[in-house]
């Protein structure tokens, strides 16, 4: 291993990028595939997008990773590491046979996706908040490519940060391995704590210990009420014959661009927002795109006019019991207009009492 090339930002005292990156790679390989690796060399450098194809391993699997603000990068896995990951899953050991000269497949990408995410997560943990280190934790696996030529059209033109690992694979170092990570320099350099990425999964509200304090008004009590939401990828209509014919391994065709049309709905099917289905920190997540504010948002999803979609189930919703530690909401402002509902000029005035 060698030091970071001249001209790169100096790391803080006591921190060595090579040691941190080597630890991250070894830990990710051990956790995901119980695969021993021995790092020989690590290089951190700047480059331009036009230089990227020349620096990638030959016949590499190109995992496209997505970060904040739709920033895209690439993680290139050499055939030797890919073959080792497959062998560890299939036979539990690394052989000395050379990696076969073939194009990576979708199955290869599926096997490698967890390793890519684990490597980025371990790099983020080891290099957290270090000046001059890429913000690895902001990126997650999105898709794969088997040809580097379209990268010039997919990635944003500009300066990039490249981190290259060269290592030996297996208990006896049977194979050579190379992993290259290329991230956009603007979105990849840490200058402090990372902001929210907008892909955080919806977490259930934490329940406070003891009785809830009384609210000042009914509006505040309603604003604090928990709402159950559902993320809907799509809905399909199936005949009874099709349903009975389903077996393990059966394929259900989905509409085109289904990942870009994920919906956030209430339990009764009211559309609240649209977005793209993705992943954040190991959870499924929806990056919101269209916040429901027009007439279409008020209509339940899966109306009869939408071809291929089924209507949400109708009928009364279950009545949730009031828990013992929930205080009765204040009713002093019951006759006042609802502060939590947008006023509709066309609606008739409500009568109190």
């Amino acid at each position: 291993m060698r030091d970071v090339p001249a001209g790169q930002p100096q790391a803080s005292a006591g921190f060595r990028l090579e040691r941190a990156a080597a630890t991250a790679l070894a830990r990710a390989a051990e956790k995901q595939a119980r695969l021993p690796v021995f790092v020989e060399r690590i290089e951190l450098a700047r480059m331009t997008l036009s230089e990227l194809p020349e620096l990638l391993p030959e016949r590499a699997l190109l995992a496209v990773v997505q970060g904040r603000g739709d920033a895209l990068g690439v993680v290139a896995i050499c055939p030797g590491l890919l073959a080792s990951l497959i062998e560890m899953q299939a036979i539990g050991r690394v052989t000395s046979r050379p990696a076969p000269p073939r194009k990576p497949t979708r199955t290869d990408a599926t096997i490698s996706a967890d390793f890519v995410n684990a490597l980025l997560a371990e790099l983020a943990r080891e290099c957290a908040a270090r000046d001059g280190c890429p913000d690895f934790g902001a990126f997650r696996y999105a898709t794969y490519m088997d040809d580097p030529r379209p990268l010039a059209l997919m990635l944003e033109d500009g300066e990039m940060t490249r981190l290259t690992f060269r290592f030996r694979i297996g208990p006896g170092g049977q194979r050579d391995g190379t992993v290259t990570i290329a991230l956009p320099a603007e979105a990849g350099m840490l200058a402090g704590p990372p902001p929210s990425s907008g892909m955080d999964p919806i977490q259930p509200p934490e329940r406070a210990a003891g009785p809830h304090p009384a609210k000042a008004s009914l509006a505040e009590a309603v604003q604090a009420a928990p709402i159950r939401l559902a993320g809907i990828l799509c809905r399909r209509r199936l005949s009874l014959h099709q349903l009975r014919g389903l077996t393990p391994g059966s394929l259900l065709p989905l509409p085109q661009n289904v990942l870009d049309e994920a919906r956030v709905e209430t339990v009764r099917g009211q559309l609240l927002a649209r977005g793209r289905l993705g992943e954040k920190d190991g959870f499924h997540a929806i990056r919101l795109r269209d916040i429901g504010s027009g007439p279409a948002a008020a209509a339940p999803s899966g109306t009869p006019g939408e071809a291929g979609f089924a209507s949400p189930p109708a009928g009364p919703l279950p009545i949730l019991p009031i828990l013992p530690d929930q205080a009765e909401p204040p009713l002093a402002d019951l006759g006042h207009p609802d502060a939590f509902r947008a006023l509709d000029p066309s609606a008739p005035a409500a009568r109190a009492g």
Side-chain angles (χ1 to χ4, degrees):
M1 295 187 293
R2 66 182 185 182
D3 294 336
V4 177
Q8 297 302 318
Q10 295 298 323
S12 59
F15 172 76
R16 285 180 58 85
L17 173 67
E18 293 179 348
R19 182 179 303 171
T23 301
L25 176 62
R27 186 179 293 130
E30 175 64 25
K31 285 184 177 180
Q32 290 300 317
R34 304 188 63 83
L35 179 67
V37 296
F38 305 94
V39 179
E40 296 181 336
R41 179 182 174 189
I42 292 177
E43 181 182 1
L44 176 66
R46 292 292 188 95
M47 67 174 186
T48 61
L49 179 59
S50 59
E51 298 175 304
L52 179 59
E54 301 175 1
L55 300 172
L56 296 176
E58 187 178 358
R59 296 192 305 273
L61 184 147
L62 305 176
V64 179
V65 293
Q66 184 175 11
R68 297 183 177 93
D70 295 331
L72 295 178
V74 63
V75 178
I77 299 177
C78 73
L81 177 57
L82 179 60
S84 301
L85 292 173
I86 295 174
E87 286 178 349
M88 290 301 295
Q89 281 206 2
I91 61 177
R93 62 184 179 90
V94 178
T95 66
S96 57
R97 294 191 298 267
R102 62 179 180 83
K103 276 192 173 184
T105 65
R106 186 176 299 274
T107 302
D108 298 330
T110 302
I111 293 174
S112 305
D114 289 339
F115 171 77
V116 170
N117 288 336
L119 177 58
L120 293 173
E122 294 295 341
L123 284 170
R125 182 178 295 108
E126 293 293 330
C127 306
R130 300 289 183 175
D131 293 338
C133 291
D135 188 4
F136 299 104
F139 289 84
R140 301 286 290 179
Y141 175 88
T143 185
Y144 90 102
M145 304 178 66
D146 56 10
D147 190 340
R149 287 176 294 182
L151 287 176
L153 302 176
M154 177 178 296
L155 302 182
E156 186 175 355
D157 193 12
E159 194 173 23
M160 304 188 75
T161 302
R162 174 177 59 87
L163 180 64
T164 300
F165 299 83
R166 302 187 188 280
F167 49 92
R168 305 286 296 176
I169 308 170
Q174 297 96 315
R175 287 199 182 113
D176 292 327
T178 303
V179 171
T180 298
I181 302 176
L183 304 178
E186 308 81 31
M189 304 306 292
L190 275 174
S196 173
S197 66
M199 286 275 296
D200 295 333
I202 299 174
Q203 299 290 347
E206 297 183 0
R207 295 180 57 82
H212 295 277
K215 301 297 181 179
S217 67
L218 180 61
E220 295 181 9
V222 172
Q223 290 281 16
I227 301 296
R228 290 189 60 188
L229 300 179
I232 307 298
L233 183 60
C234 72
R235 290 189 173 91
R236 289 297 312 272
R237 288 185 181 273
L238 294 176
S239 66
L240 180 59
H241 176 72
Q242 292 173 315
L243 183 62
R244 296 184 62 183
L246 293 180
T247 59
S250 298
L251 297 180
L252 293 176
L254 301 179
Q256 292 183 351
N257 301 326
V258 67
L259 295 181
D260 293 319
E261 295 298 329
R263 307 161 70 96
V264 177
E265 302 178 355
T266 65
V267 292
R268 290 191 67 91
Q270 180 183 3
L271 175 62
L272 301 180
R274 296 178 185 268
R276 176 177 176 80
L277 181 66
E279 185 179 351
K280 175 65 176 177
D281 296 333
F283 295 90
H284 292 295
I286 297 178
R287 185 189 296 275
L288 300 184
R289 183 183 66 249
D290 302 328
I291 305 300
S293 58
S301 65
T303 55
E306 298 184 34
F309 287 85
S311 301
L317 293 177
I319 300 177
L320 300 179
I322 298 179
L323 299 179
D325 61 344
Q326 289 181 333
E328 182 179 355
L331 302 177
D333 60 342
L334 181 60
H336 299 168
D338 293 336
F340 53 85
R341 180 177 297 134
L343 296 179
D344 186 358
S346 62
R351 293 185 303 172

